């Protein structure tokens, strides 16, 4: 894209003074950016995540975890569809949807809302959440389970099963 053109986003103030929402990149005022963004997003969504290595999770526990993910633990209400996110349907969630430790970052964002993280290949990239406040997938599940806004009341075994399922994605 070469860094040229006018990128329009009404949520962004121009510079520190605030104002028009127009970010002028280049002198000719031609927008060479916006038209490319949908194709770039589709490309990113089309990249396959690496499969979990053979033997890296317990299959029977993962199958029980899958049922919990869709059922009692209700994870699939946000982590839905082939990519395990409702962001592909354009959904965003309020600030309290994140169980991460940090509560400030969201207040600095353009929408002040969260996009549900896709979970394919999640085994590969600890630490988790935007601030890395969950060191392991077991920490992730414990933080959801203990979420004061919506405690899940999962048993130790159910939590372990859910972790095995996450490791399989
Ligand atoms: C209300 C919607 C919602 C529900 C329900 C939900 N999540 Fe999330 N999930 C999110 C959002 C939003 C994020 C990003 C939060 C952040 O980064 O602070 C996220 C992040 C994650 C991550 C971190 C991914 C990464 O790459 O760092 C994992 C793992 C995860 N969720 C698993 C689960 C599991 C397991 C459940 C069920 C116990 C669950 N989620 C329920 C919305 C949800």
């Amino acid at each position: 894209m070469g860094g040229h053109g006018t990128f329009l986003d009404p949520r962004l103030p121009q510079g520190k003074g605030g104002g028009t929402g127009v970010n002028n990149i280049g002198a000719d005022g031609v927008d060479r950016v916006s038209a490319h963004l949908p194709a770039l997003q589709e490309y990113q969504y089309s990249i396959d995540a690496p499969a979990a290595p053979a033997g890296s999770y317990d299959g029977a526990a993962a199958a029980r975890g899958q049922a919990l993910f869709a059922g009692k633990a209700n994870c699939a209400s946000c982590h839905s569809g082939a990519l395990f996110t409702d962001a592909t349907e354009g959904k965003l969630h309020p600030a309290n949807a994140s169980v991460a430790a940090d509560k400030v970052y969201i207040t600095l964002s353009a929408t002040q809302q969260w996009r549900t993280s896709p979970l394919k290949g999640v085994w590969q990239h600890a630490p988790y959440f935007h601030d890395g406040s969950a060191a392991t997938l077991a920490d992730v599940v414990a933080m959801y389970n203990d979420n004061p806004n919506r405690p899940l009341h999962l048993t130790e075994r159910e939590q372990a099963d859910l972790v095995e399922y996450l490791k399989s994605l």
Side-chain angles (χ1 to χ4, degrees), residues 4 10 18 26 28-29 44 49-50 57 60 68 76 104-105 112-113 120 122 126 128 131 147 159-161 164:
H4 294 295
D28 63 7
Q44 287 178 301
Y57 62 92
L68 290 162
V104 176
Y105 181 81
Q112 317 241 321
Q113 291 180 289
K120 277 276 192 188
V122 73
Y128 301 106
D131 59 352
N147 177 11
Q159 290 183 60
D161 289 346
E164 290 307 301

Side-chain angles (χ1 to χ4, degrees), residues 5 12 20-21 26-27 32 49-50 55 64 72 75 90 93 95-96 125 134 143 150 156 161 168:
L12 297 174
T20 65
R32 298 193 179 89
R64 293 191 300 269
K72 184 175 173 184
C75 315
H93 295 275
N96 69 5
H125 63 81
M143 286 163 81
R150 204 172 62 88
E156 291 292 320
D161 289 346
S168 77

Side-chain angles (χ1 to χ4, degrees), residues 14-77:
Q14 186 174 22
K16 290 209 168 82
T20 65
V22 179
N23 286 319
N24 261 317
I25 318 162
D28 63 7
V30 177
D31 184 350
R32 298 193 179 89
V33 178
S34 301
H36 296 293
L37 297 181
L40 274 174
Q41 185 181 45
E42 281 307 309
Y43 173 62
Q44 287 178 301
Y45 280 137
S46 77
I47 300 171
D48 282 336
S56 64
Y57 62 92
D58 175 332
R64 293 191 300 269
Q66 183 172 19
L68 290 162
F69 189 90
K72 184 175 173 184
N74 203 31
C75 315
S77 63

